[in-house]
Amino acid sequence: HLHPARSSSSSARSCARSSSSSYAAVASPSQSSESSSALTLPLPDDFHMHLRDGAEVLNSIVPQAAATFRRAVVMPNLVPPVTNIERAKEYNSRIRSALPANANFQPRMGLYLTDATTPDDVAEAASYDGDDVVLHGYKYYPAGATTNSDAGVQNLLAPENASTLRALEDANFPLMLHGEVT
């Protein structure tokens, strides 16, 4: 995660959050030249964000996420898991309901890969375009390896998963891997 650094007279550069939803890096006087001495970066993306669920949790976490990041890939390991477009739309709606007014934050929804995910599910998700919901890819969790992973894949390389993995590849739809084994 990118966090604004505190400015100090001894640092070569300082970073500060500006009111325009970006970070600014400013060269110290010793680094200044006749060229511009400021670099403004847009808010970063977070490609692995757990927002969890429930109004109280979302109302606490989502405003902080929106203040720090422009976009985030939201992990789908809820109970029940976000396994299809309909659940992603519902979760996205709950997230957006927790956003502050005028927030410019885009949740990119991850879908939960299970042993029951089919090539047709992948094709439908990869081609989905609507309702202000961005589907980012499928998240693989080894069954039982982490929080809310009981519905995860038993054996990713099992022959019965080959057609689903091929569908992900053919659709150029990301497979996001949870790097833990059981």
Side-chain angles (χ1 to χ4, degrees):
H1 302 294
L2 176 67
H3 298 284
R6 299 186 195 285
S7 60
S8 72
S9 58
S10 63
S11 68
R13 288 181 286 167
S14 65
C15 292
R17 180 89 190 278
S18 76
S19 60
S20 63
S21 295
S22 61
Y23 287 83
V26 181
S28 70
S30 64
Q31 289 184 328
S32 294
S33 67
E34 291 183 26
S35 63
S36 174
S37 60
L39 173 65
T40 302
L41 303 172
L43 283 177
D45 294 340
D46 185 328
F47 283 90
H48 186 117
M49 183 174 284
H50 290 276
L51 296 174
R52 300 301 181 207
D53 208 1
E56 185 177 342
V57 172
L58 289 173
N59 286 331
S60 174
I61 296 174
V62 170
Q64 293 176 43
T68 308
F69 299 100
R70 170 69 177 93
R71 299 180 299 184
V73 177
V74 179
M75 297 296 105
N77 55 330
L78 304 179
V79 176
V82 180
T83 55
N84 59 46
I85 294 169
E86 192 58 38
R87 287 185 182 168
K89 288 168 57 174
E90 291 166 359
Y91 188 30
N92 183 275
S93 177
R94 293 190 301 274
I95 292 166
R96 289 185 180 278
S97 292
L99 283 170
N102 301 318
N104 193 18
F105 176 75
Q106 182 187 67
R108 301 177 64 83
M109 308 307 292
L111 295 171
Y112 194 115
L113 186 72
T114 71
D115 288 323
T117 305
T118 68
D120 288 341
D121 295 333
V122 170
E124 182 181 11
S127 65
Y128 181 76
D129 183 25
D131 298 318
D132 269 349
V133 176
V134 176
L135 300 178
H136 187 80
Y138 273 93
K139 178 74 177 196
Y140 159 71
Y141 295 99
T146 192
T147 305
N148 300 333
S149 65
D150 292 341
V153 174
Q154 295 293 322
N155 179 357
L156 186 62
L157 300 178
E160 56 271 18
N161 292 325
S163 61
T164 300
L165 295 175
R166 175 71 52 171
L168 285 162
E169 180 181 13
D170 291 347
N172 198 30
F173 201 56
L175 174 62
M176 302 173 286
L177 301 174
H178 180 84
E180 184 174 359
V181 295
T182 54

